[in-house]
Amino acid sequence: MTEIKDSKICVVIGASHSGVNFAFALRREGWEGNIILYDADPLLPYHRPPLSKTYLTSDDDIDKNLLKSAESYEKEGITLKLGIKVSAIKREKKQVVLNDGTQHSYDKLVLATGARPIIPPIPGLMSSNNIFPLRTAADVTNIRTCLAASDNKRVIVIGGGFIGLETAASLKKIGASVTVLEREDRVLARVTAPEMSAFFQNLHAENGVAIFSNKNVIAIDTNTKENVVKCDDGTSYIADIIIVGVGILVNTELAASAGLIIENGIKVDETAKTLDDDIFAIGDCTFHYNPHYRRFVRLESVQNAVDQAKVAAAAMCGKETRYDSIPWFWSNQYDVKLQMVGLSNGYDQLILRREADKEKCFSAWYFRGDRLLAVDAVNNAKAYVYGTKFIKIGNKINKEKLADPAVEFKPIHLLANK
């Protein structure tokens, strides 16, 4: 077990991917003081990506998805304070205030407060039967329990983003009848090109999930047996269970009340530090500068949470470091693995490369002029790996060769002037 040799205290608010990874990284970087993690969730910190995928479709307990074992925290001298909410930060006194009014001092403070699901103000939604978001292990447990007890298993998923589609695929796998209602004119409209949206819409149709776009839910009527989901175009849909997946709200309230800069999240510098030298912020809640895209961004991804955690830990221990990562994401739906690297915002040309004689294996390459911004790879790890390299190095790509499946898919064959 790690010996605490220093009286300094680092308090971390939030024990999900960013908070937990930060705590262990801080210890590795040489912090010899106390490390205390607070989180409102009473469960040992767990992986969140499987919630809408394997955890939803299995009978496993959340203990199979823990970020670290209980023994790991004890070994590293990291104190977990679970089921406890921090209600305020007193910067001038360097204290955090808990919900019961008790106050605890810190030398360094890390905000890993993450986000919470949006519950839209739809009339009748909160009084309907069996309505669930999908953000925590408790949400998934409730969905699994409700589904097991339902005779008809008719599920309406409100929202066609990644969470909505992954949840739809998982529920279909375990026998539910699933319909997805998307307010925009296509699914995944915020994050990918129309061609990719069409692919995933067709994928779900092939697997028996109905997806309807341009569906703005305006009311939900509930009786003793079922819910009636009503849209503004006059259509309605019957549901035994309703899953809400329309996005998230960033948890910035603590930071805002403490006088930190809020701009699409908690604004931090290249070391994940806020305007207060003793307060850092990491993960989904941050608005940080990405040098590859030369602008501030806010990312909802495990990759960003882990990378920022490492940077903040090193910086807190006085080491030279800065955030310099290319964002990447992934999604599993049915027999499809989507790997995404980069940020496609602002692209002016999309090139699709379909691999010959390979079903459901292609990639979408997003360009602005000659600059590669991002790659979406469907069942194509090679495209994901090459795209990552091209974005990092900034190579100019021969677009005609890229689009031609007859050209061998190797970097030396795809570069311009080769």
Side-chain angles (χ1 to χ4, degrees):
M1 180 174 176
T2 297
E3 181 181 356
I4 306 301
K5 301 177 181 179
D6 195 315
S7 61
K8 288 184 178 180
I9 301 172
C10 178
V11 167
V12 184
I13 303 175
S16 189
H17 287 87
S18 58
V20 169
N21 277 278
F22 168 81
F24 282 84
L26 185 64
R27 193 62 85 199
R28 288 194 302 271
E29 293 290 354
W31 180 270
E32 296 184 336
N34 289 284
I35 303 173
I36 303 173
L37 278 82
Y38 289 97
D39 199 285
D41 195 322
L43 300 178
L44 275 173
Y46 48 84
H47 289 277
R48 292 187 183 273
L51 292 180
S52 58
K53 308 179 188 76
T54 54
Y55 185 55
L56 182 56
T57 59
S58 74
D59 295 324
D60 289 343
D61 188 80
I62 196 61
D63 288 346
K64 295 285 185 67
N65 288 286
L66 297 180
L67 287 168
K68 302 283 185 180
S69 66
E71 294 76 19
S72 297
Y73 297 95
E74 183 177 355
K75 180 180 178 182
E76 296 298 328
I78 297 169
T79 303
L80 284 175
K81 298 285 189 179
L82 302 175
I84 298 175
K85 187 174 181 181
V86 177
S87 60
I89 300 166
K90 293 186 175 182
R91 284 173 56 199
E92 67 284 355
K93 294 184 177 180
K94 299 185 73 169
Q95 292 178 333
V96 294
V97 182
L98 307 185
N99 260 15
D100 62 4
T102 59
Q103 301 179 17
H104 297 272
S105 298
Y106 66 83
D107 294 283
K108 298 289 183 180
L109 177 65
V110 177
L111 303 178
T113 50
R116 61 189 183 276
I118 294 173
I119 305 298
I122 300 171
L125 178 65
M126 296 312 296
S127 59
S128 60
N129 295 327
N130 305 326
I131 179 254
F132 306 101
L134 202 158
R135 185 74 181 180
T136 68
D139 293 332
V140 178
T141 298
N142 290 335
I143 292 169
R144 293 195 306 193
T145 301
C146 185
L147 194 63
S150 174
D151 293 329
N152 295 314
K153 295 180 171 55
R154 296 167 297 185
V155 180
I156 295 292
V157 178
I158 303 176
F162 280 124
I163 288 295
L165 296 185
E166 289 171 358
T167 302
S170 296
L171 291 172
K172 186 65 181 179
K173 182 178 179 180
I174 55 178
S177 172
V178 186
T179 299
V180 177
L181 303 179
E182 169 55 45
R183 186 175 62 179
E184 303 297 330
D185 60 2
R186 59 185 177 92
V187 297
L188 304 175
R190 290 192 306 115
V191 294
T192 195
E195 291 84 350
M196 295 296 291
S197 296
F199 170 80
F200 278 98
Q201 175 122 6
N202 292 334
L203 175 68
H204 281 269
E206 291 170 0
N207 284 276
V209 170
I211 296 179
F212 298 99
S213 303
N214 296 305
K215 294 294 182 179
N216 184 31
V217 178
I218 58 171
I220 297 175
D221 291 342
T222 301
N223 56 44
T224 56
K225 294 184 178 180
E226 60 195 19
N227 305 296
V228 181
V229 181
K230 297 182 176 181
C231 300
D232 63 0
D233 61 0
T235 57
S236 60
Y237 303 86
I238 305 299
D240 302 298
I241 300 170
I242 299 172
I243 310 294
V244 180
V246 298
I248 56 97
L249 290 172
V250 184
N251 294 325
T252 59
E253 290 82 1
L254 276 176
S257 63
L260 303 179
I261 297 174
I262 306 300
E263 185 180 337
N264 189 26
I266 306 170
K267 196 169 186 178
V268 295
D269 67 11
E270 59 188 7
T271 67
K273 187 172 65 177
T274 69
L275 61 76
D276 187 316
D277 287 342
D278 294 319
I279 302 180
F280 291 70
I282 54 178
D284 291 5
C285 65
T286 65
F287 190 52
H288 61 277
Y289 187 76
N290 187 291
H292 290 281
Y293 296 94
R294 297 187 287 275
R295 60 186 173 88
F296 279 83
V297 298
R298 189 181 60 76
L299 301 174
E300 300 160 27
S301 76
V302 171
Q303 165 265 327
N304 175 63
V306 173
D307 287 347
Q308 276 196 312
K310 293 176 181 177
V311 168
M316 191 174 290
C317 290
K319 299 181 180 180
E320 289 290 331
T321 185
R322 70 186 183 99
Y323 184 91
D324 188 20
S325 298
I326 296 174
W328 56 266
F329 316 85
W330 79 94
S331 178
N332 295 328
Q333 299 173 45
Y334 309 109
D335 59 346
V336 166
K337 183 177 184 66
L338 171 65
Q339 294 171 286
M340 310 171 73
V341 60
L343 301 174
S344 62
N345 310 70
Y347 77 95
D348 56 27
Q349 184 180 10
L350 179 76
I351 291 180
L352 293 177
R353 180 184 172 94
R354 303 185 184 278
E355 303 307 321
D357 302 323
K358 293 183 179 180
E359 187 179 4
K360 294 179 183 174
C361 179
F362 69 98
S363 50
W365 299 65
Y366 299 81
F367 291 87
R368 183 166 61 229
D370 288 330
R371 184 187 176 202
L372 178 65
L373 298 178
V375 177
D376 296 346
V378 173
N379 291 335
N380 195 335
K382 186 180 291 187
Y384 169 77
V385 171
Y386 291 166
T388 302
K389 291 180 179 178
F390 289 149
I391 294 170
K392 281 183 178 179
I393 300 171
N395 297 113
K396 187 175 180 180
I397 300 173
N398 186 312
K399 297 176 183 178
E400 290 184 6
K401 291 182 178 180
L402 174 65
D404 185 355
V407 175
E408 188 176 6
F409 198 22
K410 289 186 176 181
I412 193 171
H413 297 142
L414 301 180
L415 296 179
N417 302 320
K418 294 290 185 183

